Amino acid sequence: MLERDGSSRRNSRNFLYMASFESFYQEYPCSYNSPLSCDRPFQTAQQIKGAKFCLECGFPATLPQEAEIKGSQGTYQIASFIGVRGLGRLYSGVQLKDKQPVIIKEYLLPNRSFNESETQKRKETFKRVGGVSLADSRIQNFRLVETKEAIADEKGERCYLITQGIDSSQTLGKYLIEKGAMTSLEVREVLNQGLQTLQFLHTQKLRFPSNQTQLGITHGNINLDSTLIKVENNQKFSIYFCDLAIWENLFIPTIIPQPAPARPDQDIESLGLLAFYLWVGRTTNFSSNQPLDPRDNQQWPDTDSNLKHFIYRLIGLETPFESAEAARKALLELPQEDRAKSSNSARSSKTLAQPSPGYQEIKKPLPMPLLLLVILFLLLLGGGIWYWLWGRKTDNPNQYIQWSRLVRNFSEVTNVPSGQFTYTGEKDSTWSFVLTQLVDNSRLGDLLTRPKPDATATFDYKSVLSSNRNNPIKSIEEVQINKKDFAITSLVDNITDKLAKKAVAYDGLLVFVAFNKRDSNLANALGGQINIEQLRQIYTGKITNWQQINPKLPNLPVKPFAPTEPEAISKFQQIVLQNAPQDEALFAAKVTKLDTTKTQNLIRSETLDGRTTGIISFGIISKTSSQCTGYPLAIADGKKSAIQPLFQKRDRRSINPSDDLCQHDDYYVDVTTFQSYPLGYPIFVVYPKDSNRLPGGSTFAQMLTTRQGQCLLSKVGLVALQPMPDDINSYACKSVP
């Protein structure tokens, strides 16, 4: 078995390197450690008209709706932000001249990562090489995403690639997450199409936008994110390559080692590695959480040995192919999957199970070594069963009874009244924030404006600002005086008997301190927890040094911060300070109020400067659960054990300070545990009991408590009212339209 200079290992690393941007743009102090894929630049653009930079770290904000981009072939208008792919951000748009839909990929050259000379040089190169076509102008579909033009902003730090013809967000990476592993026949078809496209790229005479021609080009960036899939109604599919390295790599920050120019044989290797991932159904090893190694024979499916050895050759583990053309020819001549082997096994099993008439079985004792193996197998099997039933966190089917009784989706909610309903909430409330969050490439607020498309009911949200920030109840007052149809709030202790309330989700406060895995930190020293009484003493100024809690803690001043959301402060004062007037006065006098993201930024800044910071703060779940600057502490109340509602996904256990919280997709809020969390509380829809008014509020609450509604709320940082199968990314949520 041959190996080509470790190139397969390099491809594996390169794929993961290109798919993760935590090492990029370190000049920008993003609390997510990844400014490109962070949602804060989008939130800034939504909240502040004309904003060009993220309020948190200064990274370029996303483009606003209706922004126009002028190119040599026309003007393009932004319709909506789609998400991130590779080294750029994607938008849907139209060409204004003919209203044809286009996809706009925005590349960034932020000024802290590129100096003026580097920026100008890369812009000029991008305009010259951004897109390829056949030199003789023939129109042939070799499954490359069609590029209309490459545009560089003359004065700014952005470049744009205008493409059309295929949904740019349906990557093989997303397909793998949603559909799971491909069959061997499907993998063969991916390889057939991919090798045909590579044969075209490597051998045809191609033209760049600068009119320069070249015989053949390497892709240099084949991975699950740069390969799109288009599925037809009959389940046939086509794959398309995009994001070629010749222009994609221009936007790798200069501080990052720049990749060497790729060779055609590396394209073949990358395609082989992609096929391996698709067939296995994942890119990482479950037990080690490390990238899958194709040398590990146990990782491979055993249904098609011919395909396995073919992929071995592609990635250089056996004699490599000379070209994409030679590889495709070998693929088309490859014997089909091992059906004969599997059918023979089935026939053998059938024969043993059904002996012929007159057959008399002669029972012979098993040989001693074989007997020992059987006993060992049974012991291991018993141990495995014991672990499965008792040694791991398992789902109790009974816990999903409530979920199974919910109405499935918005379209199944009956008796929806016609009309335009206006509802409200506090300006800086949790609800105002979560409406701006993206769910499946759409803002939650947009999805809920007309949740049932076949009905005429619309729900428009208009926030209000209470004059008394210590008693933020203006939203409820607006409902009482008939200015608004209903309100969404967590502050319902003093509503009158003329109003009804219905819980639609849980919210809560997470208390966080500095967190840095690389050295000793406050989260570790506290054992990952704190109690309500200690919080009360900290936030009333009675504890001013961390050693007052425990002499083993650092000799460090306590620096208490609070968020700016009035509802969050009100709930903290209610739960922790018990609404004691004297404690509330001390809280107001001694605690610094700062936006949660700015507090996280301050912690990050002090940590990066090498200082040990004594900052402690709290914030709503949707702003504090998906970041890794502050560690969310478990909370104890009285003599009860501390409760940590955030769970590590792989092991289904509560997090601890040794976990890497920068892996945002690796942990979630456990609904059952959260129901006992001391700093949790419901969010209600509050509406009039008056039968003369249309039931807009009760209908909206009905929709939010469908399975579809609970999934949507879970995805924006609220907590469902009842346990859902697995978590918010489960099939139960994905299958709800």
Side-chain angles (χ1 to χ4, degrees):
M1 184 176 294
L2 301 176
E3 183 177 329
R4 196 183 304 169
D5 301 327
S7 55
S8 179
R9 284 195 298 271
R10 287 197 302 274
N11 269 312
S12 177
R13 287 197 300 268
N14 285 344
F15 166 74
L16 295 163
Y17 165 80
M18 293 301 295
S20 172
F21 305 105
E22 289 187 2
S23 59
F24 284 16
Y25 312 118
Q26 288 297 300
E27 302 85 355
Y28 292 85
C30 172
S31 61
Y32 288 79
N33 244 4
S34 184
L36 185 65
S37 56
C38 176
D39 61 358
R40 303 289 167 86
F42 172 78
Q43 292 169 15
T44 299
Q46 292 292 307
Q47 295 166 7
I48 302 174
K49 187 175 181 180
K52 294 185 177 181
F53 303 99
C54 173
L55 284 177
E56 176 188 334
C57 70
F59 194 72
T62 57
L63 299 171
Q65 286 183 330
E66 300 185 355
E68 294 184 0
I69 300 166
K70 293 183 179 180
S72 60
Q73 299 184 33
T75 300
Y76 310 91
Q77 187 177 65
I78 299 292
S80 64
F81 173 60
I82 297 175
V84 173
R85 189 188 73 218
L87 286 172
R89 300 192 288 213
L90 299 175
Y91 304 84
S92 63
V94 294
Q95 185 169 3
L96 290 179
K97 179 176 62 177
D98 53 12
K99 301 301 180 184
Q100 287 296 308
V102 295
I103 295 296
I104 301 166
K105 184 165 185 181
E106 172 200 33
Y107 292 102
L108 299 168
L109 294 162
N111 58 24
R112 297 185 200 172
S113 302
F114 299 88
N115 63 38
E116 188 175 347
S117 173
E118 292 164 345
T119 297
Q120 191 59 37
K121 182 179 179 181
R122 292 177 188 232
K123 282 182 180 180
E124 292 299 325
T125 305
F126 177 70
K127 288 190 292 184
R128 290 200 312 271
V129 302
V132 292
S133 59
L134 278 166
D136 58 10
S137 301
R138 283 178 294 146
I139 305 296
Q140 284 188 267
N141 179 16
F142 280 97
R143 291 180 296 277
L144 280 177
V145 173
E146 181 184 349
T147 301
K148 285 182 68 69
E149 66 173 314
I151 304 168
D153 188 340
E154 291 184 7
K155 297 181 179 178
E157 47 195 7
R158 307 172 195 245
C159 294
Y160 310 99
L161 195 70
I162 314 297
T163 64
Q164 61 182 173
I166 183 173
D167 178 1
S168 63
S169 64
Q170 186 56 44
T171 65
L172 280 179
K174 287 187 178 180
Y175 180 91
L176 199 62
I177 293 171
E178 293 174 7
K179 305 293 186 181
M182 283 187 168
T183 65
S184 62
L185 288 176
E186 290 170 331
V187 173
R188 285 174 180 241
E189 182 57 25
V190 167
L191 288 171
N192 178 38
Q193 295 183 27
L195 288 169
Q196 187 180 37
T197 303
L198 288 183
Q199 183 180 344
F200 161 76
L201 273 176
H202 295 169
T203 62
Q204 295 293 311
K205 192 173 184 181
L206 303 171
R207 186 186 304 277
F208 293 108
S210 61
N211 278 328
Q212 177 185 352
T213 60
Q214 178 176 313
L215 182 61
I217 186 176
T218 53
H219 186 296
N221 185 37
I222 295 174
N223 57 59
L224 293 175
D225 261 356
S226 67
T227 312
L228 310 182
I229 182 168
K230 183 177 182 180
V231 182
E232 308 295 345
N233 292 333
N234 57 6
Q235 297 304 305
K236 290 184 178 179
F237 63 81
S238 299
I239 66 164
Y240 291 79
F241 286 151
C242 59
D243 303 340
L244 271 65
I246 193 170
W247 63 77
E248 188 87 0
N249 288 355
L250 292 171
F251 303 94
I252 297 175
T254 54
I255 196 173
I256 306 294
Q258 304 293 294
R263 304 185 311 272
D265 60 311
Q266 291 173 327
D267 277 351
I268 297 172
E269 292 172 6
S270 296
L271 181 63
L273 192 63
L274 178 143
F276 169 63
Y277 291 145
L278 291 175
W279 198 12
V280 176
R282 62 187 190 278
T283 60
T284 56
N285 188 315
F286 288 144
S287 59
S288 65
N289 205 30
Q290 296 298 310
L292 280 180
D293 186 351
R295 293 170 184 75
D296 183 354
N297 196 52
Q298 294 182 344
Q299 303 295 341
W300 289 82
D302 60 0
T303 57
D304 192 341
S305 60
N306 296 310
L307 177 61
K308 176 181 176 181
H309 288 295
F310 179 80
I311 295 175
Y312 265 25
R313 292 190 64 186
L314 290 179
I315 58 182
L317 296 180
E318 290 186 353
T319 306
F321 294 104
E322 294 180 358
S323 64
E325 181 180 6
R328 184 164 181 262
K329 182 180 178 182
L331 176 69
L332 296 176
E333 296 173 352
L334 203 65
Q336 293 301 307
E337 59 182 325
D338 306 332
R339 293 181 181 176
K341 179 180 177 181
S342 58
S343 60
N344 285 336
S345 298
R347 283 195 297 271
S348 299
S349 300
K350 186 174 181 180
T351 303
L352 289 172
Q354 298 178 350
S356 59
Y359 173 85
Q360 183 176 359
E361 183 179 1
I362 301 175
K363 296 182 180 179
K364 296 182 179 179
L366 290 172
M368 185 56 68
L370 183 58
L371 182 61
L372 290 174
L373 285 174
V374 170
I375 293 171
L376 179 61
F377 171 75
L378 291 174
L379 287 172
L380 290 173
L381 179 63
I385 293 172
W386 182 91
Y387 171 74
W388 182 260
L389 293 177
W390 293 283
R392 67 186 293 273
K393 178 181 171 66
T394 57
D395 287 341
N396 175 5
N398 292 330
Q399 69 179 316
Y400 303 131
I401 290 176
Q402 286 179 287
W403 170 265
S404 66
R405 291 172 178 168
L406 297 181
V407 174
R408 188 168 181 268
N409 52 41
F410 296 155
S411 64
E412 294 178 8
V413 175
T414 58
N415 301 319
V416 177
S418 298
Q420 294 181 331
F421 299 95
T422 303
Y423 71 106
T424 190
E426 193 68 27
K427 182 179 180 183
D428 291 322
S429 65
T430 294
W431 190 255
S432 292
F433 176 72
V434 299
L435 285 181
T436 67
Q437 302 303 288
L438 284 178
V439 182
D440 301 329
N441 298 325
S442 298
R443 291 172 67 253
L444 178 65
D446 296 334
L447 294 173
L448 295 181
T449 298
R450 193 174 182 181
K452 191 172 180 180
D454 60 345
T456 58
T458 59
F459 301 90
D460 296 316
Y461 181 72
K462 304 291 183 184
S463 64
V464 292
L465 182 63
S466 296
S467 56
N468 183 355
R469 302 282 283 179
N470 294 321
N471 191 24
I473 58 171
K474 186 172 177 61
S475 60
I476 293 177
E477 292 174 350
E478 293 275 294
V479 179
Q480 288 175 327
I481 62 177
N482 296 341
K483 275 193 171 183
K484 300 290 190 295
D485 292 297
F486 59 94
I488 297 188
T489 179
S490 60
L491 306 177
V492 295
D493 291 344
N494 298 315
I495 64 172
T496 69
D497 57 5
K498 293 182 179 180
L499 298 177
K501 64 180 182 180
K502 181 174 181 179
V504 293
Y506 287 110
D507 193 15
L509 304 174
L510 296 179
V511 178
F512 58 91
V513 293
F515 175 69
N516 183 354
K517 277 194 67 180
R518 289 171 295 192
D519 52 34
S520 178
N521 58 70
L522 200 52
N524 267 324
L526 285 165
Q529 63 179 306
I530 199 166
N531 65 48
I532 294 287
E533 177 57 24
Q534 289 165 345
L535 285 176
R536 187 188 68 79
Q537 292 189 46
I538 285 173
Y539 278 89
T540 55
K542 294 179 176 63
I543 291 179
T544 58
N545 190 293
W546 285 104
Q547 287 192 340
Q548 290 175 254
I549 292 178
N550 187 327
K552 295 182 180 180
L553 290 175
N555 181 12
L556 191 67
V558 175
K559 296 163 66 175
F561 282 73
T564 53
E565 294 92 350
E567 276 191 32
I569 292 174
S570 182
K571 296 304 294 187
F572 185 86
Q573 292 182 154
Q574 175 188 334
I575 299 169
V576 176
L577 305 183
Q578 299 293 302
N579 286 335
Q582 184 177 359
D583 285 350
E584 289 181 358
L586 291 169
F587 175 90
K590 295 181 178 294
V591 176
T592 302
K593 293 184 179 66
L594 190 65
D595 178 79
T596 299
T597 57
K598 291 182 179 178
T599 303
Q600 293 163 355
N601 229 21
L602 183 60
I603 291 174
R604 179 178 171 82
S605 176
E606 292 190 6
T607 303
L608 288 175
D609 287 344
R611 289 177 282 169
T612 302
T613 178
I615 292 176
I616 181 171
S617 188
F618 62 91
I620 57 176
I621 292 173
S622 48
K623 285 190 175 183
T624 52
S625 62
S626 296
Q627 51 79 45
C628 55
T629 298
Y631 180 84
L633 298 170
I635 304 297
D637 188 6
K639 296 182 179 180
K640 298 178 182 177
S641 299
I643 295 175
Q644 174 57 265
L646 294 183
F647 270 52
Q648 204 265 5
K649 185 177 295 182
R650 187 180 67 186
D651 300 328
R652 305 291 296 279
R653 58 159 176 79
S654 57
I655 63 169
N656 61 61
S658 66
D659 289 321
D660 184 359
L661 300 188
C662 291
Q663 301 294 325
H664 303 303
D665 293 334
D666 200 39
Y667 65 102
Y668 63 98
V669 178
D670 183 75
V671 176
T672 303
T673 304
F674 189 82
Q675 291 170 351
S676 303
Y677 181 61
L679 298 183
Y681 46 86
I683 285 185
F684 298 91
V685 173
V686 178
Y687 52 91
K689 293 180 180 178
D690 187 351
S691 59
N692 293 321
R693 294 174 66 177
L694 289 173
S698 60
T699 300
F700 196 73
Q702 275 184 273
M703 291 186 176
L704 293 182
T705 50
T706 62
R707 292 189 206 174
Q708 182 179 4
Q710 292 292 281
C711 283
L712 289 174
L713 297 185
S714 296
K715 289 181 178 182
V716 294
L718 296 178
V719 182
L721 294 173
Q722 62 288 303
M724 298 186 295
D726 196 7
D727 60 83
I728 64 170
N729 292 314
S730 70
Y731 177 78
C733 274
K734 288 181 177 175
S735 62
V736 176

